[in-house]
Amino acid sequence: MTVRTPVPSLNPGDTVGVLGGGQLGRMIALAAASLGLRTHIFCPDENCPASQVSSKFTRADYEDDAVLRAFAGAVDVVTYEFENVPVDAVAILEDAGATVRPGAMALEKAQDRLVEKEFVRSLGIDTAEFHAVDSLADLERGLDHVGRPAILKTRRLGYDGKGQTRLTDKDIDLHASFEKAVAFAWAEVGAAPSILEAFVPFEREISIIGARGSDGAVKLYEPIENVHAGGILKTSTAPANVSAATKAAAEKATTAILEALNYVGVIGVEFFVLPGGEIVVNEMAPRVHNSGHLTGDACAISQFEQHVRAVAGWPLGETARHSNAVMENLIGDDVTDWPAIIREPNTRLHLYGKNEARKGRKMGHATRLTPLT
Ligand SMILES: Nc1ncnc2c1ncn2[C@@H]1O[C@H](COP(=O)(O)OP(=O)(O)O)[C@@H](O)[C@H]1O
Ligand SMILES: [Mg+2]
């Protein structure tokens, strides 16, 4: 295993550079501020959620070499809040002397669903059956391999269920022929390099929010149970309804992933839990994760603070939970319920400062707390 060159830890008053300016960057910036650290957001979008609460904001493209180099010189460490930051941008920052945590390797593995599944499998961890698809003919062969129902996903740039389409027996009936149904699915993903996955008949979905410090220490939050609607996370619940054996298997897999990536920071690993309790990794996000938002209200140290501690080279915090919690995402028009939600007892409301409540857009979340049982 490679040993990371030790980087001096940050001091209060130092600056964490963040690539990306969405709600995750906003909540990282808020956590950094409570530890006396500044944040400098790098994002192509004006008035992004994170820039509203940060000390500094650079609006530029991730391809802008000169601006990236200036950013590298202006911050004490760099992190990212979304996984589609171009790996080339990270290479430029590193070339300009910045320390980027987690590093480029985590991005490379997580940006491409095929590379990601091969990586997870190389650690001896189960994933859905899959088949690489670069053409219509590959798709037909893939369906022979993985069976039906199956899900076709673009290898890159998918999120919140975007860039995905399902292929079931019903679709084939609807399209009158196998060939037509397959051609339709291929068009749905824009004929882009894709991966075909067997549909996993899961009983439930869980995630583990894990962290690894610059000293190699690993701390995991307990499993969180997730419900998706239309491919978008709707609710996250702690505790998850899983056995001790399932929890142990998910923890072991998360730790193996963190160590194999020589990771520094917070990661979110999504799992399917089969009816027998076995786990299958769905995907990993090399950043703070939507399902971990409840840690901000139900645990002493939030995933955002944990991430800041890790990238700053500070000791990780405890992950114990002091409340039971259900986090509900406020998606699109859901956010118009905020006046009622803010009146609910034992509920914490978080709004992301986005002006326009477009369909499918994450506008905020509410965490409903109940005493530990
Ligand atoms: N192979 C699969 N089998 C069953 N359900 C799946 C599969 N892949 C995705 N899903 C469902 O779709 C959701 C979103 O898919 P995911 O691969 O996590 O993409 P995204 O990057 O958009 O979150 C999952 O959380 C799960 O509910
Ligand atoms: Mg997902």
Side-chain angles (χ1 to χ4, degrees):
M1 208 176 77
T2 53
V3 177
R4 188 172 284 268
T5 324
V7 174
S9 39
L10 270 57
N11 290 307
D14 286 348
T15 301
V16 179
V18 182
L19 300 171
Q23 64 268 15
L24 302 180
R26 179 183 177 102
M27 290 184 273
I28 289 170
L30 293 171
S34 38
L35 293 174
L37 293 162
R38 296 164 200 271
T39 43
H40 184 159
I41 303 296
F42 188 113
C43 174
D45 306 318
E46 201 60 66
N47 192 32
C48 57
S51 70
Q52 298 166 16
V53 301
S54 298
S55 323
K56 279 208 175 128
F57 173 45
T58 294
R59 198 205 67 75
D61 292 328
Y62 297 115
E63 285 76 31
D64 194 328
D65 192 279
V67 182
L68 282 168
R69 286 177 191 279
F71 179 71
V75 301
D76 297 290
V77 70
V78 176
T79 188
Y80 41 86
E81 62 101 55
F82 85 129
E83 65 270 36
N84 290 320
V85 171
V87 173
D88 286 352
V90 172
I92 293 167
L93 292 169
E94 285 178 340
D95 184 59
T99 299
V100 182
R101 289 171 162 165
M105 203 205 319
L107 277 182
E108 276 162 14
K109 303 286 187 214
Q111 280 180 353
D112 182 320
R113 294 186 191 277
L114 183 63
V115 174
E116 176 178 58
K117 286 215 168 41
E118 284 166 348
F119 165 69
V120 170
R121 288 238 174 151
S122 76
L123 302 176
I125 304 165
D126 285 341
T127 69
E129 274 308 313
F130 62 91
H131 191 93
V133 173
D134 290 311
S135 67
L136 199 51
D138 284 342
L139 179 54
E140 291 182 2
R141 273 193 291 275
L143 280 164
D144 281 345
H145 170 192
V146 310
R148 292 198 298 265
I151 306 189
L152 183 64
K153 303 180 181 177
T154 55
R155 283 171 63 170
R156 292 181 167 271
L157 301 174
Y159 70 98
D160 287 348
K162 294 189 174 67
Q164 299 191 13
T165 187
R166 295 190 179 197
L167 265 161
T168 61
D169 289 340
K170 211 170 120 201
D171 294 316
I172 290 163
D173 289 347
L174 271 173
H175 288 275
S177 78
F178 177 78
E179 286 70 26
K180 281 190 183 149
V182 170
F184 182 80
W186 184 229
E188 283 276 278
V189 295
S194 295
I195 180 172
L196 185 72
E197 294 180 20
F199 187 88
V200 178
F202 59 82
E203 189 177 67
R204 58 189 84 244
E205 291 187 83
I206 62 168
S207 52
I208 296 235
I209 307 301
R212 187 163 173 276
S214 58
D215 58 355
V218 168
K219 298 253 186 210
L220 309 175
Y221 293 90
E222 70 187 284
I224 293 163
E225 186 162 340
N226 302 315
V227 174
H228 294 82
I232 308 183
L233 182 67
K234 187 56 191 160
T235 64
S236 291
T237 300
N241 183 9
V242 291
S243 68
T246 297
K247 176 172 182 276
E251 287 171 349
K252 190 171 162 217
T254 305
T255 303
I257 290 169
L258 285 169
E259 287 178 349
L261 294 172
N262 200 18
Y263 200 89
V264 177
V266 163
I267 198 170
V269 184
E270 300 178 9
F271 299 89
F272 299 126
V273 182
L274 302 181
E278 304 87 351
I279 52 141
V280 170
V281 165
N282 172 28
E283 63 170 351
M284 59 191 194
R287 51 169 170 76
V288 291
H289 191 257
N290 193 168
S291 69
H293 290 0
L294 61 78
T295 60
D297 303 316
C299 303
I301 309 294
S302 73
Q303 65 165 347
F304 306 103
E305 175 170 334
Q306 193 77 305
H307 186 68
V308 171
R309 284 177 177 235
V311 303
W314 291 2
L316 298 182
E318 291 305 315
T319 55
R321 187 167 49 78
H322 55 66
S323 273
N324 292 336
V326 180
M327 188 278 321
E328 182 192 1
N329 267 339
L330 302 175
I331 300 167
D333 285 343
D334 294 348
V335 73
T336 56
D337 292 341
W338 76 266
I341 296 171
I342 205 168
R343 287 182 171 82
E344 288 178 26
N346 304 316
T347 295
R348 293 209 63 209
L349 175 68
H350 304 260
L351 299 174
Y352 304 151
K354 297 182 185 177
N355 289 334
E356 210 191 324
R358 289 197 293 269
K359 189 170 179 286
R361 194 175 196 205
K362 291 173 179 166
M363 301 300 294
H365 68 271
T367 316
R368 298 187 170 90
L369 299 169
T370 49
L372 287 182
T373 41

